[in-house]
Amino acid sequence: MKTKLKKDWYSIVVYPQKGIINKVKIMKYELADRIGNYKSRNSEAHITIIEFEADLNEFLFYKYYVKNFCLYQKPEHISFNEIVLSKQSKALVLLPAIASKIYLRDLLKNFRRGLKHMNVTNGSVAHISIGRALDPNQIEGANNIFNNINLDFNCEKIAIRKFNTSIGQFEVIYEFFFQGKPPVKGQLSLFQ
């Protein structure tokens, strides 16, 4: 008899420093004061790279992949300076400045390239969500709530988060800092 291992839901994200997480949390509270409760209100600031479902053995592969990927990444200063309220996507999000957008696009693309044959769901373009799944009244209430946005931080780590069903949120379970090590000459990637 073959037993099936329990699978959990995970996400891998670019994870900012606590100061940025707190600034975004304040923005979420201000939005909730204006429009009421909404989806993603309690989610910590992050940039989604991928999401996946895995049993313990499969999870160990992803954990190793993230750890290995971070060995060769260099930290980079990035900036989020634009806020967009979209009726189509029903979301209020922060977008990166041009140079940061290019850096993050390349970082996410390089990370995802090594998992192209895996059963993962890619996140969208780099953004930090303030509010998602907003109804038309909430979208109207959120209009012009924030003016000048400038969140600068060092992009220096990737986190693995696990979905906690009791609170309905992902929680960080591992953090991996960028090490900036040079690749070994002639090294072949295990994942490409």
Side-chain angles (χ1 to χ4, degrees):
M1 179 170 86
K2 197 174 190 178
T3 59
K4 199 170 191 175
L5 293 174
K6 178 182 175 280
K7 292 195 175 204
D8 291 301
W9 195 247
Y10 299 93
S11 72
I12 297 175
V13 301
V14 173
Y15 194 55
Q17 292 83 26
K18 285 292 180 200
I20 296 300
I21 290 170
N22 290 336
K23 286 180 182 181
V24 171
K25 184 183 287 188
I26 290 167
M27 293 176 74
K28 290 180 177 222
Y29 285 150
E30 288 177 28
L31 181 61
D33 284 347
R34 168 102 47 111
I35 69 170
N37 202 18
Y38 59 89
K39 193 169 182 172
S40 79
R41 177 183 176 182
N42 296 318
S43 177
E44 286 188 331
H46 65 277
I47 301 163
T48 301
I49 304 174
I50 64 165
E51 293 183 352
F52 62 95
E53 191 176 38
D55 63 32
L56 181 59
N57 292 326
E58 293 165 332
F59 172 76
L60 292 174
F61 164 81
Y62 288 101
K63 181 180 171 190
Y64 176 79
Y65 180 83
V66 174
K67 182 178 179 182
N68 188 60
F69 182 84
C70 290
L71 282 175
Y72 305 103
Q73 299 305 308
K74 292 181 182 175
E76 179 91 14
H77 183 81
I78 60 174
S79 178
F80 281 73
N81 65 357
E82 184 179 356
I83 189 155
V84 173
L85 177 61
S86 170
K87 290 181 183 179
Q88 183 180 1
S89 64
K90 301 175 185 172
L92 180 66
V93 299
L94 303 176
L95 297 178
I98 298 293
S100 298
K101 185 182 293 189
I102 293 167
Y103 166 78
L104 288 166
R105 179 198 65 205
D106 292 345
L107 179 75
L108 273 56
K109 183 172 84 172
N110 290 336
F111 186 93
R112 293 169 180 161
R113 180 183 301 135
L115 297 173
K116 64 184 172 189
H117 300 296
M118 302 299 290
N119 187 20
V120 300
T121 303
N122 289 338
S124 59
V125 297
H127 69 278
I128 297 174
S129 294
I130 303 298
R132 293 185 301 115
L134 303 177
D135 67 38
N137 289 333
Q138 290 175 316
I139 289 172
E140 187 64 35
N143 198 24
N144 297 320
I145 187 171
F146 303 109
N147 294 320
N148 296 329
I149 300 300
N150 193 14
L151 295 178
D152 294 327
F153 62 96
N154 208 22
C155 182
E156 63 183 6
K157 63 184 166 180
I158 291 177
I160 301 176
R161 306 181 315 157
K162 183 178 180 181
F163 191 75
N164 181 333
T165 54
S166 64
I167 62 170
Q169 294 287 329
F170 283 101
E171 295 180 308
V172 172
I173 57 173
Y174 293 101
E175 294 180 20
F176 298 92
F177 284 84
F178 295 169
Q179 301 296 310
K181 293 184 179 183
V184 176
K185 189 172 183 176
Q187 177 182 12
L188 295 175
S189 171
L190 172 64
F191 307 105
Q192 297 180 8

